[in-house]
Amino acid sequence: MTTVITGHAGGRMDIGFVGLGLMGRPMALNLARAGTPLVVWNRTAARCEELRAAGARVAADPAELFGRTRIVILMLAGEEAIDQVLARATPDFGARVAGRTIVHMGTTSPAYSRGLEADVRAAGGAYVEAPVSGSRTPAEEGRLVAMLAGEETAVRAVRPLLAPLCHETTVCGAVPGALHMKLAVNLYLITMVTGLAEAAHFAERHGLDMRRFVEVLDTGPMASAVSRVKALKLLDQDFAAQAAAADVLMNNRLVAGAARESGLASPLLDVCHALYDETVALGHGKADMVAVVRAIEERTARQAEGVRA
Protein backbone atom coordinates (compact mmCIF):
# COMPACT_ATOMS: atom_id res chain seq x y z
CA MET A 1 0.00 0.00 0.00
CA THR A 2 1.38 3.40 -0.95
CA THR A 3 1.37 6.04 1.76
CA VAL A 4 0.77 9.52 0.31
CA ILE A 5 1.32 12.46 2.65
CA THR A 6 -0.03 15.83 1.63
CA GLY A 7 0.73 19.27 3.01
CA HIS A 8 -1.65 22.13 3.69
CA ALA A 9 -1.73 23.06 0.02
CA GLY A 10 -2.36 19.48 -1.09
CA GLY A 11 1.15 18.94 -2.41
CA ARG A 12 3.37 16.04 -1.50
CA MET A 13 5.00 16.34 1.91
CA ASP A 14 8.33 14.62 2.36
CA ILE A 15 8.95 12.84 5.67
CA GLY A 16 12.40 13.00 7.25
CA PHE A 17 13.96 10.00 8.95
CA VAL A 18 17.17 10.22 10.99
CA GLY A 19 18.91 7.20 12.53
CA LEU A 20 19.52 4.01 10.55
CA GLY A 21 20.73 1.68 13.26
CA LEU A 22 19.58 -1.80 14.28
CA MET A 23 15.94 -0.68 14.50
CA GLY A 24 15.92 2.46 12.39
CA ARG A 25 17.16 0.87 9.17
CA PRO A 26 14.29 -1.65 8.79
CA MET A 27 11.77 0.95 9.96
CA ALA A 28 12.90 3.44 7.32
CA LEU A 29 12.96 0.71 4.67
CA ASN A 30 9.36 -0.22 5.45
CA LEU A 31 8.33 3.41 5.04
CA ALA A 32 10.17 3.72 1.72
CA ARG A 33 8.79 0.44 0.40
CA ALA A 34 5.27 1.58 1.31
CA GLY A 35 5.75 4.57 -0.98
CA THR A 36 6.26 7.18 1.75
CA PRO A 37 8.14 10.16 0.26
CA LEU A 38 11.20 9.88 2.45
CA VAL A 39 14.34 11.93 3.03
CA VAL A 40 16.96 10.21 5.19
CA TRP A 41 20.20 11.09 6.90
CA ASN A 42 22.56 9.03 9.01
CA ARG A 43 25.87 9.90 10.62
CA THR A 44 27.41 6.84 8.92
CA ALA A 45 26.59 7.73 5.33
CA ALA A 46 27.03 4.20 3.93
CA ARG A 47 23.91 3.09 5.78
CA CYS A 48 21.84 5.38 3.58
CA GLU A 49 22.61 3.51 0.35
CA GLU A 50 20.04 0.77 0.93
CA LEU A 51 17.43 3.47 1.51
CA ARG A 52 18.50 5.27 -1.66
CA ALA A 53 18.00 2.03 -3.59
CA ALA A 54 14.52 1.74 -2.06
CA GLY A 55 13.55 5.17 -3.39
CA ALA A 56 14.40 7.48 -0.50
CA ARG A 57 16.31 10.69 -1.04
CA VAL A 58 19.52 11.09 0.96
CA ALA A 59 20.29 14.44 2.59
CA ALA A 60 23.87 15.63 2.82
CA ASP A 61 23.39 16.77 6.43
CA PRO A 62 20.64 17.35 9.00
CA ALA A 63 20.14 20.95 7.92
CA GLU A 64 19.25 19.83 4.39
CA LEU A 65 16.88 17.17 5.71
CA PHE A 66 15.00 19.66 7.89
CA GLY A 67 14.86 22.13 5.02
CA ARG A 68 13.09 19.59 2.79
CA THR A 69 10.59 18.12 5.27
CA ARG A 70 7.77 19.07 7.62
CA ILE A 71 7.60 15.91 9.72
CA VAL A 72 10.89 14.45 10.99
CA ILE A 73 11.16 11.03 12.64
CA LEU A 74 14.11 10.56 14.97
CA MET A 75 15.20 7.00 15.76
CA LEU A 76 18.38 7.84 17.59
CA ALA A 77 20.29 6.18 20.41
CA GLY A 78 20.57 8.68 23.20
CA GLU A 79 19.81 12.22 24.18
CA GLU A 80 23.12 13.69 23.00
CA ALA A 81 22.55 12.40 19.46
CA ILE A 82 19.06 13.92 19.38
CA ASP A 83 20.34 17.29 20.61
CA GLN A 84 23.08 17.30 17.98
CA VAL A 85 20.70 16.54 15.11
CA LEU A 86 18.24 19.19 16.27
CA ALA A 87 21.09 21.67 16.94
CA ARG A 88 19.50 22.18 20.34
CA ALA A 89 20.89 25.05 22.43
CA THR A 90 22.26 26.69 19.28
CA PRO A 91 20.85 29.45 17.04
CA ASP A 92 19.98 26.80 14.41
CA PHE A 93 17.51 24.97 16.65
CA GLY A 94 14.60 27.31 15.92
CA ALA A 95 15.16 27.12 12.18
CA ARG A 96 15.12 23.32 12.27
CA VAL A 97 11.99 22.79 14.36
CA ALA A 98 9.78 25.81 13.64
CA GLY A 99 6.73 24.78 11.62
CA ARG A 100 7.72 21.12 11.80
CA THR A 101 6.58 18.10 13.78
CA ILE A 102 9.37 16.27 15.56
CA VAL A 103 8.59 12.59 16.17
CA HIS A 104 10.79 11.04 18.86
CA MET A 105 10.71 7.25 18.36
CA GLY A 106 13.76 6.29 20.40
CA THR A 107 13.94 5.61 24.11
CA THR A 108 15.17 8.32 26.46
CA SER A 109 14.32 9.39 29.97
CA PRO A 110 10.80 10.80 30.35
CA ALA A 111 12.27 13.95 31.92
CA TYR A 112 14.42 14.57 28.84
CA SER A 113 11.43 14.16 26.54
CA ARG A 114 9.34 16.53 28.63
CA GLY A 115 12.03 19.19 28.34
CA LEU A 116 12.49 18.61 24.62
CA GLU A 117 8.78 19.00 23.99
CA ALA A 118 8.81 22.33 25.84
CA ASP A 119 11.75 23.60 23.75
CA VAL A 120 10.25 22.44 20.44
CA ARG A 121 6.90 24.03 21.14
CA ALA A 122 8.53 27.25 22.35
CA ALA A 123 10.39 27.41 19.02
CA GLY A 124 7.17 27.05 17.04
CA GLY A 125 7.21 23.32 16.34
CA ALA A 126 5.07 20.37 17.33
CA TYR A 127 6.28 17.28 19.17
CA VAL A 128 5.15 13.67 19.39
CA GLU A 129 6.60 10.87 21.47
CA ALA A 130 6.31 7.55 19.63
CA PRO A 131 8.58 4.94 21.22
CA VAL A 132 8.09 1.39 19.95
CA SER A 133 7.94 -2.02 21.55
CA GLY A 134 9.68 -4.76 19.57
CA SER A 135 13.12 -5.79 18.39
CA ARG A 136 14.84 -6.17 15.02
CA THR A 137 12.62 -8.93 13.62
CA PRO A 138 9.29 -7.16 14.35
CA ALA A 139 10.87 -4.00 12.92
CA GLU A 140 11.71 -5.85 9.71
CA GLU A 141 8.19 -7.30 9.53
CA GLY A 142 6.41 -4.01 10.26
CA ARG A 143 5.00 -5.56 13.44
CA LEU A 144 6.11 -3.02 16.04
CA VAL A 145 3.78 -1.55 18.65
CA ALA A 146 3.95 2.23 18.95
CA MET A 147 2.96 4.30 21.95
CA LEU A 148 2.13 7.92 21.15
CA ALA A 149 1.91 10.99 23.35
CA GLY A 150 1.62 14.68 22.66
CA GLU A 151 -0.78 17.39 21.62
CA GLU A 152 -3.87 15.80 20.07
CA THR A 153 -3.63 17.43 16.65
CA ALA A 154 0.03 16.43 16.22
CA VAL A 155 -0.63 12.85 17.33
CA ARG A 156 -3.56 12.59 14.93
CA ALA A 157 -1.33 13.74 12.04
CA VAL A 158 1.52 11.35 12.87
CA ARG A 159 -0.44 8.20 13.70
CA PRO A 160 -1.32 7.12 10.12
CA LEU A 161 2.32 7.57 9.02
CA LEU A 162 3.31 4.71 11.28
CA ALA A 163 1.10 2.11 9.58
CA PRO A 164 3.98 0.59 7.53
CA LEU A 165 5.98 0.16 10.75
CA CYS A 166 3.46 -0.88 13.36
CA HIS A 167 0.55 -3.26 13.57
CA GLU A 168 -0.73 -1.40 16.64
CA THR A 169 -0.55 2.22 17.80
CA THR A 170 -1.80 3.28 21.22
CA VAL A 171 -2.31 6.88 22.35
CA CYS A 172 -0.97 7.46 25.87
CA GLY A 173 -2.06 11.01 26.59
CA ALA A 174 0.34 13.87 27.20
CA VAL A 175 4.15 13.75 27.08
CA PRO A 176 5.87 11.80 28.67
CA GLY A 177 3.05 9.24 28.89
CA ALA A 178 4.32 7.20 25.95
CA LEU A 179 7.83 6.87 27.39
CA HIS A 180 6.48 5.91 30.80
CA MET A 181 4.42 3.23 29.03
CA LYS A 182 7.47 2.05 27.06
CA LEU A 183 9.57 1.79 30.21
CA ALA A 184 6.85 -0.21 31.97
CA VAL A 185 6.75 -2.62 29.01
CA ASN A 186 10.56 -2.80 28.99
CA LEU A 187 10.61 -3.65 32.68
CA TYR A 188 8.44 -6.69 31.97
CA LEU A 189 10.50 -7.68 28.91
CA ILE A 190 13.83 -7.43 30.72
CA THR A 191 12.73 -9.45 33.74
CA MET A 192 10.98 -12.04 31.54
CA VAL A 193 13.93 -12.70 29.23
CA THR A 194 16.36 -12.75 32.16
CA GLY A 195 14.14 -15.32 33.88
CA LEU A 196 14.07 -17.40 30.70
CA ALA A 197 17.88 -17.31 30.48
CA GLU A 198 18.19 -18.42 34.11
CA ALA A 199 15.66 -21.22 33.54
CA ALA A 200 17.61 -22.42 30.49
CA HIS A 201 20.83 -22.36 32.53
CA PHE A 202 19.13 -24.39 35.28
CA ALA A 203 17.82 -26.93 32.76
CA GLU A 204 21.13 -27.27 30.95
CA ARG A 205 23.15 -27.74 34.15
CA HIS A 206 20.74 -30.47 35.27
CA GLY A 207 21.41 -32.38 32.06
CA LEU A 208 17.95 -31.93 30.58
CA ASP A 209 17.31 -32.32 26.86
CA MET A 210 17.24 -28.65 25.90
CA ARG A 211 15.12 -29.22 22.83
CA ARG A 212 12.47 -30.82 25.02
CA PHE A 213 12.79 -27.92 27.46
CA VAL A 214 11.97 -25.53 24.61
CA GLU A 215 9.08 -27.74 23.45
CA VAL A 216 7.56 -27.74 26.94
CA LEU A 217 7.83 -23.95 27.11
CA ASP A 218 6.32 -23.53 23.65
CA THR A 219 3.28 -25.67 24.43
CA GLY A 220 2.66 -24.35 27.93
CA PRO A 221 0.70 -21.36 29.23
CA MET A 222 3.77 -19.13 29.51
CA ALA A 223 4.60 -19.27 25.80
CA SER A 224 4.73 -15.97 23.92
CA ALA A 225 6.20 -14.59 20.73
CA VAL A 226 9.18 -13.37 22.76
CA SER A 227 9.74 -16.64 24.64
CA ARG A 228 9.60 -18.67 21.42
CA VAL A 229 12.25 -16.54 19.72
CA LYS A 230 14.53 -16.16 22.74
CA ALA A 231 14.31 -19.82 23.82
CA LEU A 232 15.43 -20.91 20.35
CA LYS A 233 18.32 -18.46 20.48
CA LEU A 234 19.41 -19.95 23.79
CA LEU A 235 19.02 -23.48 22.42
CA ASP A 236 21.11 -22.69 19.33
CA GLN A 237 23.59 -20.44 21.19
CA ASP A 238 22.63 -17.79 18.67
CA PHE A 239 23.64 -14.44 20.11
CA ALA A 240 23.16 -12.34 16.95
CA ALA A 241 21.56 -9.16 18.22
CA GLN A 242 17.87 -8.50 17.92
CA ALA A 243 18.03 -6.34 21.03
CA ALA A 244 21.66 -5.85 22.03
CA ALA A 245 22.67 -6.39 25.66
CA ALA A 246 24.23 -2.91 25.85
CA ASP A 247 20.94 -1.36 24.70
CA VAL A 248 19.05 -3.44 27.26
CA LEU A 249 21.40 -2.16 29.97
CA MET A 250 20.73 1.40 28.81
CA ASN A 251 16.97 0.76 28.95
CA ASN A 252 17.36 -0.83 32.37
CA ARG A 253 19.06 2.32 33.61
CA LEU A 254 16.25 4.46 32.22
CA VAL A 255 13.59 2.37 33.94
CA ALA A 256 15.53 2.41 37.19
CA GLY A 257 15.96 6.18 36.95
CA ALA A 258 12.24 6.72 36.39
CA ALA A 259 11.46 4.41 39.31
CA ARG A 260 13.81 6.31 41.63
CA GLU A 261 12.41 9.65 40.49
CA SER A 262 8.93 8.46 41.51
CA GLY A 263 10.07 6.79 44.73
CA LEU A 264 9.21 3.29 43.49
CA ALA A 265 10.82 -0.01 44.46
CA SER A 266 12.05 -2.15 41.55
CA PRO A 267 13.59 -5.27 43.11
CA LEU A 268 13.45 -7.57 40.05
CA LEU A 269 14.73 -4.85 37.76
CA ASP A 270 17.63 -4.13 40.11
CA VAL A 271 18.81 -7.75 39.92
CA CYS A 272 18.56 -7.63 36.11
CA HIS A 273 20.44 -4.33 36.10
CA ALA A 274 23.39 -5.97 37.83
CA LEU A 275 23.30 -8.99 35.49
CA TYR A 276 23.26 -6.90 32.30
CA ASP A 277 26.04 -4.73 33.69
CA GLU A 278 28.06 -7.93 34.17
CA THR A 279 27.09 -9.17 30.68
CA VAL A 280 28.45 -6.02 29.07
CA ALA A 281 31.58 -6.09 31.27
CA LEU A 282 32.23 -9.64 30.06
CA GLY A 283 32.36 -8.33 26.48
CA HIS A 284 28.88 -9.29 25.27
CA GLY A 285 27.45 -5.79 24.84
CA LYS A 286 26.81 -6.23 21.12
CA ALA A 287 25.28 -9.69 21.55
CA ASP A 288 21.55 -10.28 21.91
CA MET A 289 20.03 -9.78 25.33
CA VAL A 290 19.89 -13.56 25.87
CA ALA A 291 23.66 -13.33 26.36
CA VAL A 292 22.74 -12.42 29.94
CA VAL A 293 23.05 -16.19 30.38
CA ARG A 294 26.82 -15.63 30.22
CA ALA A 295 26.67 -13.50 33.37
CA ILE A 296 24.59 -16.18 35.08
CA GLU A 297 27.11 -18.84 34.02
CA GLU A 298 29.91 -16.67 35.41
CA ARG A 299 28.14 -16.40 38.75
CA THR A 300 27.72 -20.18 38.82
CA ALA A 301 31.44 -20.62 38.14
CA ARG A 302 32.36 -18.19 40.93
CA GLN A 303 30.01 -19.95 43.31
CA ALA A 304 31.59 -23.31 42.45
CA GLU A 305 35.05 -21.84 43.07
CA GLY A 306 33.88 -20.64 46.46
CA VAL A 307 32.61 -24.08 47.35
CA ARG A 308 35.91 -25.72 46.32
CA ALA A 309 37.88 -23.18 48.31
Side-chain angles (χ1 to χ4, degrees):
M1 180 178 69
T2 299
T3 303
V4 178
I5 311 303
T6 58
H8 295 298
R12 193 178 88 154
M13 181 190 297
D14 287 347
I15 307 301
F17 196 105
V18 180
L20 303 176
L22 189 67
M23 295 285 289
R25 183 196 63 81
M27 291 166 67
L29 280 169
N30 282 336
L31 284 171
R33 289 165 180 165
T36 304
L38 205 62
V39 181
V40 301
W41 181 82
N42 192 75
R43 185 174 57 183
T44 304
R47 292 185 181 175
C48 296
E49 293 311 308
E50 193 174 10
L51 271 298
R52 193 195 304 274
R57 291 188 285 175
V58 178
D61 53 36
E64 180 186 347
L65 180 140
F66 281 92
R68 292 165 60 172
T69 58
R70 286 294 172 266
I71 296 177
V72 178
I73 295 171
L74 304 178
M75 190 61 185
L76 292 164
E79 300 165 5
E80 183 179 349
I82 294 170
D83 288 347
Q84 287 178 352
V85 166
L86 293 176
R88 197 174 177 199
T90 78
D92 294 330
F93 177 72
R96 292 194 183 181
V97 305
R100 294 174 180 81
T101 299
I102 307 301
V103 185
H104 171 26
M105 296 196 75
T107 306
T108 60
S109 74
Y112 170 84
S113 184
R114 188 187 297 114
L116 181 58
E117 180 198 34
D119 286 354
V120 169
R121 294 182 68 172
Y127 180 82
V128 175
E129 275 182 353
V132 293
S133 181
S135 58
R136 187 192 66 200
T137 298
E140 291 170 346
E141 296 172 349
R143 300 284 297 171
L144 296 169
V145 175
M147 294 144 277
L148 289 83
E151 193 272 327
E152 186 177 345
T153 302
V155 169
R156 192 164 55 242
V158 167
R159 196 175 189 182
L161 304 182
L162 305 183
L165 312 179
C166 307
H167 73 105
E168 292 288 347
T169 56
T170 299
V171 178
C172 302
V175 172
L179 274 166
H180 276 138
M181 185 71 76
K182 170 67 187 293
L183 295 183
V185 170
N186 277 2
L187 195 160
Y188 179 49
L189 172 67
I190 290 167
T191 55
M192 177 175 62
V193 173
T194 305
L196 175 61
E198 184 172 330
H201 176 65
F202 178 92
E204 188 267 332
R205 293 304 172 97
H206 280 85
L208 299 182
D209 183 320
M210 295 305 292
R211 199 162 295 279
R212 287 183 180 175
F213 168 72
V214 171
E215 288 173 0
V216 171
L217 282 179
D218 282 355
T219 55
M222 295 173 292
S224 69
V226 171
S227 73
R228 289 190 172 102
V229 170
K230 298 304 186 185
L232 282 175
K233 289 180 77 66
L234 286 162
L235 174 66
D236 297 335
Q237 296 288 285
D238 170 17
F239 296 120
Q242 293 175 323
D247 293 335
V248 173
L249 177 59
M250 179 272 291
N251 276 272
N252 203 316
R253 287 171 176 157
L254 290 174
V255 181
R260 302 296 173 266
E261 185 179 333
S262 301
L264 303 178
S266 55
L268 293 178
L269 181 77
D270 295 344
V271 171
C272 295
H273 195 160
L275 284 168
Y276 278 98
D277 203 9
E278 293 165 26
T279 303
V280 172
L282 287 167
H284 304 297
K286 293 183 179 180
D288 189 76
M289 66 186 299
V290 296
V292 71
V293 75
R294 297 303 191 216
I296 297 169
E297 291 168 349
E298 180 69 15
R299 288 195 183 194
T300 292
R302 290 202 305 268
Q303 186 167 299
E305 281 293 321
V307 170
R308 284 195 291 270

